[in-house]
Structure formats: structure tokens, C-alpha cells
Amino acid sequence: MPSASQHRASRDGFRPIRVSIEFFPPKTEEMEKILWSSIERLAPLQPKFVSVTYGAGGSTRERTHNTVARMVRETSLKPAAHLTCVNATREEIDAVVQSYWDAGVRHIVALRGDPAEGVGYTYRPHPGGYAQTSDLVAGIKRIGDFKVSVSAYPEKHPEAASLDADIDALKAKVDAGADQAITQFFFDNEIYLRYLDKVRAAGIEIPIIPGILPVQNFKQAANFARRTGASVPYWLAARFEGLENDVETRRLVAAAVAAEQVLDLVDQGVEDFHFYSMNRSDLVYAICHLLGLRSQAPKAAAKAA
């Protein structure tokens, strides 16, 4: 692990570090307050963009749209709306895309999406819809000059036959017009770096932004990782062992683990990071501070609900 002095040296070179942050639309009034409190806390860091997720089967379509539209109206943030292929015709999806354009949104995260039944069930394209992400990307680009982000899987998508097949799927998305990719979260940086080498060897040159999950709750994170095909290294489990009922220590360990991961990636030359915030600001804010980002007065501060 690099020393503190090595980390300081890497930061003193004024290399620009850019971050983006993912939120999910709130289900309750209390969750709404937590979300907008987090947005208010993180907005002064001026992230490159913030994304808002889309539930399985398009179940949060309206809440996603409302959250993104409010960000456009009330903050200086640049929102990116998630959009999936599931449970909708092309006409319905095109109407959603057009509504985002009309609301001032210029960035969409295009995903195939999970089946309405949830992860683990077989995906079936809607008979009148977009069959896969590459089709959705092309459809979005036909409607407007959106920036389009797509997903990438350093340990392959759980349904992919192989990592090579998954990289072929990524190439199809790029050929359809994708501008950048955001990876599934990972905890071992070597997995991301090896994946990046493979992607570049396949002729894919778009930015591949590492997705970082600050661990708020280890048990939940481990279960999420199993469902999405991300591995959990033994050393990570050991870091959190015995802390199930010790919230304060768990937070300190979580911050140390995430800081170690991102600072190592900075030393490897990585300049962009995408944080899965889980609508909580504390760990993300601390990591951004360690990366050298400082709060700046936004043009229009987010208003709490």
C-alpha cells in the first residue's frame, strides 16, 4: 500500500479528479428528506454529474423523472436519468426520453434493466420494446443529442457466457453511440485494471469509469455483490468481522476501506470515480475530501424537502 507521503505527492501534481454520484428515487417522505439532505451536502463538491436510478421493471419511472426534474429546477447539478428497456414499448420509452429532453436533461444512463420479478429471473424483451441496451442507446441518440452512459462489468454480467462475450456486448453499445461506461462496483482494484486492459485491447476507447461502493453495511453489501456477480475478497470480510452491532467503528472502517481503494486508483492514474451513494452523503463526502475536492458555493443550492 502506498505511503501517506506518496499519496500527498500524487495529489500535489494538481491532477484533476472528477466524481459523479448515484442516487435512487425515494419511496417515502422520510427517504425524500434523507435524499435531499444528501444532495444539499454533496452539491457544493460540484460533481461532474449525478445519476438517478430506475427500479426493476421500470417501477420507479415517475419518481425517477420527478427527482431528476427537481434537480434541474432547484440545483446547479447536472442530472443523468437512468432508463431501461423493460416493460415498455419503444413508443413509451421514446416518450420518456423526449420528456427528459423537454425538462432540460441532457444525459441518460441507458441500461437493459432487471426483470420486473427481480434479479435472478430470466430477462424477456418486451414484444414491442427495445430488445437490448445497444438498441436503446441508438434510440436515445435518434431523439436528441444526449450524452449516453452505459454499464460495464469487470467481473462480467451474471448472465453473460464469458467476460469476452460481455466485452462484445459493451462494444455493441459503443458502436450504437454510447459515450462512456460506468462499471459495476468492485473491491479489488486489480480486477478493474485487468478489465480495462481487456477493454482497450478490444478496441474500446470510451472512458470506463470505476464504480465505487462505500460500504455502509457489510452484510447488505455482500448480499448485493452476490446478486450482481461482484466478488467479495476475504480481507474485506475480515475488516468488518465482529462489528455487526458497533455502528461507529463500522463507519470508521468503511471510510478507511473506501479511501484506501480510491487513493490506490488515483496512484494508478485514475481520474474519474462514480460513487454509489445509497442516498447517504457522509462517506462519499469524506472520500471526495481525501481526493482533494473542496466545497464551492453552488449557483443555486439544493432545497431540502
Side-chain angles (χ1 to χ4, degrees):
M1 178 179 173
S3 68
S5 61
Q6 286 174 310
H7 282 315
R8 283 195 297 271
S10 70
R11 302 303 308 124
D12 288 343
F14 299 103
R15 186 165 60 220
I17 299 299
R18 296 170 293 270
V19 302
S20 53
I21 302 166
E22 181 174 296
F23 300 100
F24 60 84
K27 295 180 180 179
T28 65
E29 184 176 342
E30 182 61 29
M31 291 174 69
E32 178 100 0
K33 291 178 180 178
I34 291 171
L35 168 64
W36 288 96
S37 175
S38 295
I39 290 172
E40 187 175 46
R41 171 73 162 150
L42 295 171
L45 294 175
Q46 297 189 354
K48 191 174 180 182
F49 66 92
V50 294
S51 65
V52 182
T53 63
Y54 204 69
S59 58
T60 66
R61 181 184 302 166
E62 184 176 349
R63 284 186 279 120
T64 297
H65 186 280
N66 291 343
T67 301
V68 169
R70 182 177 172 185
M71 284 182 178
V72 172
R73 292 194 311 269
E74 299 183 10
T75 80
S76 61
L77 297 170
K78 296 180 180 178
H82 285 218
L83 189 61
T84 72
C85 301
V86 297
N87 277 11
T89 65
R90 288 188 179 219
E91 291 75 15
E92 289 169 334
I93 292 174
D94 290 352
V96 173
V97 174
Q98 185 63 52
S99 71
Y100 280 131
W101 184 270
D102 295 342
V105 177
R106 296 295 181 267
H107 187 173
I108 290 179
V109 180
L111 307 164
R112 190 203 70 181
D114 297 322
E117 300 85 357
V119 176
Y121 287 83
T122 301
Y123 170 76
R124 294 182 179 85
H126 189 286
Y130 290 107
Q132 53 196 355
T133 312
S134 56
D135 300 322
L136 176 59
V137 172
I140 293 168
K141 289 289 190 175
R142 281 194 298 269
I143 293 170
D145 187 22
F146 288 94
K147 182 171 188 174
V148 178
S149 296
V150 295
S151 57
Y153 296 85
E155 298 177 81
K156 87 174 183 62
H157 190 281
E159 298 172 28
S162 66
L163 182 57
D164 288 339
D166 202 44
I167 291 175
D168 288 341
L170 175 60
K171 192 171 190 308
K173 291 184 274 191
V174 174
D175 291 343
D179 299 289
Q180 65 182 22
I182 301 167
T183 76
Q184 177 61 272
F185 68 86
F186 56 90
F187 298 111
D188 183 344
N189 288 346
E190 285 302 315
I191 290 173
Y192 167 76
L193 297 170
R194 287 195 299 268
Y195 176 73
L196 193 59
D197 287 342
K198 281 181 168 288
V199 166
R200 298 300 183 226
I204 299 171
E205 298 298 331
I206 64 169
I208 309 293
I209 302 171
I212 305 296
L213 177 68
V215 178
Q216 305 279 353
N217 180 302
F218 176 75
K219 184 177 180 180
Q220 290 178 1
N223 288 337
F224 187 33
R226 279 190 286 272
R227 293 199 306 271
T228 57
S231 61
V232 179
Y234 73 91
W235 57 261
L236 184 62
R239 298 274 182 95
F240 288 93
E241 185 178 4
L243 298 179
E244 292 80 8
N245 299 314
D246 189 343
V247 176
E248 291 303 317
T249 304
R250 198 168 67 219
R251 285 176 179 167
L252 292 172
V253 171
V257 167
E260 182 179 340
Q261 180 178 18
V262 296
L263 289 172
D264 179 60
L265 287 170
V266 168
D267 287 339
Q268 299 293 332
V270 177
E271 297 180 346
D272 289 272
F273 297 89
H274 185 77
F275 291 105
Y276 297 106
S277 74
M278 308 306 291
N279 287 10
R280 300 284 182 172
S281 62
D282 49 357
L283 279 178
V284 174
Y285 191 92
I287 296 163
C288 287
H289 185 89
L290 287 168
L291 287 171
L293 297 180
R294 298 293 182 266
S295 293
Q296 301 179 48
K299 295 176 183 176
K303 299 177 183 178

